[in-house]
Amino acid sequence: MDDEYAKLIRRMNPPRVVIDNDACEDATVIQVDSVNKHGILLEVVQVLTDMNLVITKAYISSDGVWFMDVFNVIDQDGKKIRDREVIGYIQRRLESNASCFLSLRGSVGVMPSEEHTSIELTGTDRPGLLSEVCAVLTDLHCNVVNAEIWTHNARAAAVVHVTDDSTGCAIEDPKRLTTIKELLCIVLKGNNDLKAAKMTLSTPGITSRERRLHQIMFADRDYERIERAGLGKDRPKLLFDIVCTLTDMEYVVFHGMVNTGRMEAYQEFYIRHIDGLPISSDAEQERVIQCLEAAIERRASEGLELELCTEDRVGLLSDITRIFRENSLCIRRAEISTKGGKAKDTFYVTDVTGNPVDPKIIDSICQQVGQTKLQVKHNSTLLPKPPQETTMGYLFGNLFKA
């Protein structure tokens, strides 16, 4: 009855979204007023993140039954959002009540979609792991159409969308799916995996890949064994990663403020449990700190950024990751996508010890793959390190106040 009453209240009070280009000199202001519910802040931030908008400032207030937030956003070029079609799309997405959000505790389905089969992987990270996974999928006549891979604290997680390489459709045969699962589990386990490797077939489209990766790594407890590092610098999707983790830990942000400078980010949140109780112990406080630091680190762009743009073909990902492995490169993070017969893949790589890659090795790989196909986009190892006093560890040290 309580759930039906909540639905009735939401239908009677639909979200109100105001998008204003005059209120701020250097950003588009988006104001969202709605009936409050657990996860609504993540819902709004995810819409803005999916549109590749940069949130420069935010004021969050969701105390009681109402949610009233203001976001200052710009596009990837640092400009206001002026395209009327884009503004209309943002407004429709934010005002829609159709979004469905699953709890972290929700079970994962086993039915592939008509377009592709979604595979979720987790295991101990090691050099060449992605290459081995891709080789197995190629041998099993699976074509990778989209994927995202994260590594953190010696753990690896991936969400991979595959199709049958002959039909281009999802793989539905139960025996074949069982074979895929068994062989991938063997690859993930390796020789000395003390924690169990996992491979799951999931229903795609229910939860975003990025949120699923956060949930997978959180469930894998990758926040343990964390090494404190300098994390004061701003980066894309930082707010999404933090709000996603707080939501999945079943905390509510009832007040907050976000402000970004030229290179740094400052975010302050007042949180409590969904039952209204505040954090009550030092152990719980430390766990929140660990989990938030892990959420920030997972997407950190460590190493050299390489971008592959070429015609898509079956086995392409297997070939490129094999070349990386043969040249002793370790893939720290990867984003794989195909559209209109074109593959656009991004890899963040280091050597096997985690150090910067020798430029001569990169030149050799580019010659093997093709200078126009594989290009160096960015090298995070060349960026100046932030001052010690602005590290996220320092900020978290002063976060919890009575």
Side-chain angles (χ1 to χ4, degrees):
M1 288 296 295
D2 290 342
D3 187 51
E4 291 301 318
Y5 178 72
K7 290 179 181 178
L8 175 62
I9 293 296
R10 285 198 294 271
R11 284 197 297 269
M12 293 174 61
N13 300 273
R16 188 174 72 92
V17 178
V18 177
I19 301 178
D20 189 346
N21 268 317
D22 299 323
C24 179
E25 182 179 348
D26 55 4
T28 297
V29 178
I30 300 177
Q31 180 176 332
V32 183
D33 298 333
S34 173
V35 174
N36 194 17
K37 63 175 180 177
H38 182 56
I40 190 170
L41 176 59
L42 175 59
E43 177 180 346
V44 173
V45 172
Q46 185 167 322
V47 168
L48 300 178
T49 301
D50 290 345
M51 296 292 295
N52 288 322
L53 301 180
V54 178
I55 300 172
T56 58
K57 290 184 180 180
Y59 304 93
I60 300 163
S61 178
S62 58
D63 206 5
V65 297
W66 292 103
F67 171 89
M68 295 171 286
D69 288 8
V70 178
F71 301 89
N72 287 19
V73 302
I74 54 177
D75 63 17
Q76 293 292 312
D77 297 322
K79 299 179 180 179
K80 292 184 178 183
I81 317 304
R82 297 194 181 276
D83 188 306
R84 292 186 178 276
E85 289 188 8
V86 174
I87 290 174
Y89 179 77
I90 294 172
Q91 188 143 7
R92 289 193 300 273
R93 282 285 306 274
L94 291 176
E95 290 179 345
S96 170
N97 286 323
S99 299
C100 174
F101 289 85
L102 296 180
S103 164
L104 174 64
R105 298 176 181 177
S107 60
V108 178
V110 294
M111 289 180 60
S113 75
E114 294 181 0
E115 296 180 354
H116 53 249
T117 300
S118 184
I119 299 173
E120 297 177 354
L121 309 169
T122 181
T124 298
D125 187 30
R126 66 176 187 275
L129 176 61
L130 180 57
S131 175
E132 294 175 31
V133 168
C134 292
V136 168
L137 291 173
T138 300
D139 288 343
L140 294 171
H141 302 287
C142 300
N143 184 41
V144 178
V145 291
N146 291 291
E148 191 152 354
I149 299 96
W150 290 359
T151 64
H152 180 246
N153 271 345
R155 303 300 293 172
V159 177
V160 184
H161 295 167
V162 301
T163 60
D164 180 276
D165 64 8
S166 60
T167 66
C169 299
I171 300 166
E172 299 180 342
D173 179 43
K175 290 184 179 179
R176 188 176 175 190
L177 292 174
T178 299
T179 301
I180 293 171
K181 183 172 183 177
E182 290 175 350
L183 293 179
L184 285 178
C185 280
I186 292 172
V187 170
L188 289 169
K189 184 172 178 59
N191 296 323
N192 300 302
D193 194 351
L194 299 178
K195 294 187 73 174
K198 297 179 183 177
M199 180 274 181
T200 307
L201 298 172
S202 65
T203 305
I206 300 298
T207 306
S208 76
R209 283 206 312 262
E210 293 169 333
R211 188 177 182 195
R212 277 304 297 151
L213 285 166
H214 275 303
Q215 291 176 330
I216 292 167
M217 299 202 90
F218 175 75
D220 197 40
R221 303 177 71 88
D222 75 311
Y223 51 84
E224 297 176 345
R225 314 173 302 280
I226 196 165
E227 297 177 5
R228 300 292 172 88
L231 296 169
K233 296 181 66 175
D234 190 24
R235 61 161 175 78
K237 303 184 180 181
L238 179 62
L239 179 59
F240 171 81
D241 293 338
I242 291 174
V243 172
C244 179
T245 299
L246 289 173
T247 302
D248 287 334
M249 293 179 73
E250 299 192 337
Y251 290 105
V252 174
V253 178
F254 62 91
H255 183 70
M257 188 272 288
V258 175
N259 196 4
T260 61
R262 186 165 170 267
M263 291 292 291
E264 74 285 348
Y266 178 81
Q267 301 184 9
E268 180 179 77
F269 304 100
Y270 292 81
I271 66 172
R272 58 191 173 208
H273 293 279
I274 57 175
D275 60 7
L277 297 177
I279 290 175
S280 58
S281 69
D282 291 342
E284 184 182 6
Q285 173 180 311
E286 181 63 23
R287 182 169 180 265
V288 171
I289 291 174
Q290 287 183 334
C291 291
L292 290 179
E293 288 187 331
I296 294 166
E297 288 184 338
R298 287 171 195 147
R299 205 200 294 267
S301 300
E302 178 184 354
L304 184 70
E305 181 183 350
L306 300 175
E307 184 178 85
L308 175 70
C309 295
T310 186
E311 294 289 332
D312 190 31
R313 60 174 174 80
V314 175
L316 173 64
L317 188 57
S318 177
D319 290 342
I320 190 67
T321 54
R322 174 182 52 79
I323 292 173
F324 287 170
R325 184 189 67 205
E326 291 172 349
N327 285 275
S328 300
L329 297 192
C330 187
I331 298 172
R332 300 296 180 180
R333 189 162 70 88
E335 298 173 12
I336 312 301
S337 63
T338 58
K339 187 175 182 180
K342 297 282 188 179
K344 185 176 181 181
D345 304 341
T346 303
F347 304 92
Y348 297 87
V349 299
T350 65
D351 69 10
V352 291
T353 62
N355 292 320
V357 182
D358 187 335
K360 294 180 180 178
I361 293 178
I362 296 299
D363 289 341
S364 174
I365 293 174
C366 288
Q367 289 177 8
Q368 284 181 264
V369 177
Q371 295 283 359
T372 60
K373 297 177 181 178
L374 184 66
Q375 296 184 340
V376 176
K377 301 297 290 184
H378 182 69
N379 191 348
S380 64
T381 60
L382 300 179
L383 291 175
K385 293 185 177 180
Q388 184 66 28
E389 64 268 21
T390 64
T391 64
M392 192 60 68
Y394 176 85
L395 292 177
F396 278 137
N398 294 278
L399 177 64
F400 291 91
K401 299 176 183 178

